[in-house]
């Protein structure tokens, strides 16, 4: 393909010389049309693969036993020396990502742990981090590559390395091109694809912008279509509008996030915006430091997929079952407190949690002592619960006891509490046994609650 040069500084062909790439594509030995040349690969038939494990079992070697060569399948618990069972693709080129091989293995192992623990949000975040850094993972084939050549699909299908499978076509909704043929547009887009495959993203962007400016041609990378004026059909145009609005929207606070002081939230938003700019500038080290700092200081989780941040790590916008945010304590047991008291206690517990996150343990301990001094509140950090240190036990769950019987149980539990305070454990146990025998009452001294065991009472 011959491309005219231009002396116009605004022309997108200025300093764009595709000749060396065009020569490559015409050279059968080094062509990109059918992907990069395959290298001789060790590991077939039970040899060594490049990630340190055994190769796939070849013919006569027992099939596709990954990492063994004797045909037997590894148990899921045996994840190999790298902590995961993914292998580098046989035809992968040299590592061009921003991660070392050791860092890639660590991220793959961590992602697999998250998947085993069913923490798919964390696993997805790691996958986004890998992709941002130039590492692509194929879960269907249990392979990874860091040479800048993405797979066609992350879960199944072909590898996507054949250039013929990456070609674009004119949308049926497109008008006619003025000043150029459809064939020229297709060739330019083919050249853009080559640039993307060899990680020459600036040149690829130059081609895309040139098509838009010179010929009013817009490209849809998901449909693999191009269109004069950007018409891809009514339904898809609406989707593109939504996608454009989303891409232009900054990161915002999740509706399920915990709250902090206005000044602190402004600080968080400012640094998240700075992180976005750092990623645009490909300054990933700075972006990672900002994310880590916000997580340590304010317990902020950033979800890059939906461009939201949350203090406490919950995102109800994802449509999953809501849990309890980190740092939120649940009240248990009895005790007479006003609504204002409960709000003040919850606020102090949240402040105490963030103090501990910032390793201000002296401040956290002072807050714990203040909670007890003012409201006799005891805090259980293991279960994220708090209760008032009182002789009252709260009734938990439903039961069929009458109001008189409920009051009787309450009085008996107060008497039991008094016996335990003076170490009269036999008398305390006798009351517990009486309540269990008469009403099937179960007493939880840790939470200061009682309930009726429906299986016994029924």
């Amino acid at each position: 393909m011959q491309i005219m040069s231009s002396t116009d500084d605004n022309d997108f062909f200025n300093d764009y010389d595709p000749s060396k790439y065009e020569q490559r594509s015409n050279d059968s030995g080094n062509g990109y049309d059918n992907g990069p040349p395959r290298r001789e690969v060790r590991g077939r038939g039970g040899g060594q693969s490049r990630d340190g494990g055994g190769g796939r079992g070849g013919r006569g070697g027992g099939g596709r036993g990954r990492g063994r060569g004797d045909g037997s399948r590894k148990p899921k618990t045996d994840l190999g020396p790298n902590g995961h069972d993914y292998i580098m693709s046989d035809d992968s080129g040299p590592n061009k990502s921003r991660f070392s091989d050791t860092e890639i293995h660590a991220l793959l192992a961590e992602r697999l742990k998250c998947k085993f623990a069913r923490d798919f949000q964390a696993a997805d975040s790691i996958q986004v981090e890998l992709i941002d850094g130039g590492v692509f993972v194929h879960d269907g084939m249990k392979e990874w590559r860091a040479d800048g050549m993405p797979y066609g699909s992350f879960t199944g299908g072909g590898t996507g390395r054949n250039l013929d499978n990456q070609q674009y076509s004119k949308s049926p909704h497109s008008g006619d091109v003025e000043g150029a043929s459809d064939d020229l547009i297709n060739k330019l887009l083919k050249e853009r694809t080559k640039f993307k495959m060899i990680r020459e993203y600036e040149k690829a962007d130059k081609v895309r912008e040139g098509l838009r400016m010179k010929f009013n041609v817009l490209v849809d990378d998901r449909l693999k279509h191009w269109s004069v004026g950007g018409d891809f059909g009514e339904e898809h145009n609406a989707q593109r509008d939504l996608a454009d609005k989303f891409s232009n929207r900054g990161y915002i606070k999740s509706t399920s996030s915990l709250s902090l002081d206005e000044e602190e939230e402004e600080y968080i938003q400012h640094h998240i915006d700075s992180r976005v700019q750092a990623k645009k500038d490909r300054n990933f080290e700075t972006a990672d430091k900002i994310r880590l700092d916000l997580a340590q200081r304010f317990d902020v989780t950033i979800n890059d997929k939906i461009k939201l941040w949350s203090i406490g790590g919950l995102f109800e916008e994802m449509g999953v079952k809501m849990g309890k945010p980190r740092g939120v304590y649940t009240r248990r047991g009895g005790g007479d407190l006003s609504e204002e008291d409960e709000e003040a206690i919850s606020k102090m517990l949240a402040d105490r949690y963030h103090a501990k996150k910032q390793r201000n343990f002296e401040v956290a301990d002072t807050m714990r002592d203040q909670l007890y001094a003012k409201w006799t509140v005891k805090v259980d950090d293991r279960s994220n619960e708090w209760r008032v240190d009182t002789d009252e036990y709260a009734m938990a769950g439903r039961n069929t006891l009458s109001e008189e019987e409920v009051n009787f149980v309450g009085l008996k539990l107060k008497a039991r509490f008094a016996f335990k305070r003076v170490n009269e454990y036999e008398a305390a146990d006798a009351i517990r046994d009486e309540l269990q025998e008469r009403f099937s009452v179960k007493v939880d001294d840790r939470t200061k609650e009682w309930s009726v065991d429906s299986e016994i009472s029924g």
Side-chain angles (χ1 to χ4, degrees), residues 326-338:
R326 297 186 296 266
V328 173
Y329 285 68
T330 302
R331 180 183 179 181
R332 305 300 297 265
D336 188 17
L337 291 174
S338 67

Side-chain angles (χ1 to χ4, degrees), residues 2 9 20 98 113 137 166 171 206 221 269 293 333 415:
Q2 298 298 320
D9 289 339
K20 60 180 179 180
R98 67 183 177 93
K113 285 181 183 178
V137 183
Q166 303 290 322
S171 169
K206 188 182 288 287
D221 290 313
Q269 185 66 62
D293 176 65

Side-chain angles (χ1 to χ4, degrees), residues 240-251 276 280 307:
R240 282 173 61 86
D241 288 341
L242 286 174
D244 288 343
K245 290 178 182 178
F246 179 77
S247 63
N248 293 326
R249 191 204 81 191
Y251 283 60
V276 172
K280 287 182 179 178
K307 300 175 78 170

Side-chain angles (χ1 to χ4, degrees), residues 216-228:
N216 194 27
V217 167
L218 275 70
V219 182
D220 190 300
D221 290 313
R222 189 171 69 85
L223 291 177
K224 293 288 191 294
H225 282 172
W226 59 268
S227 170
V228 176

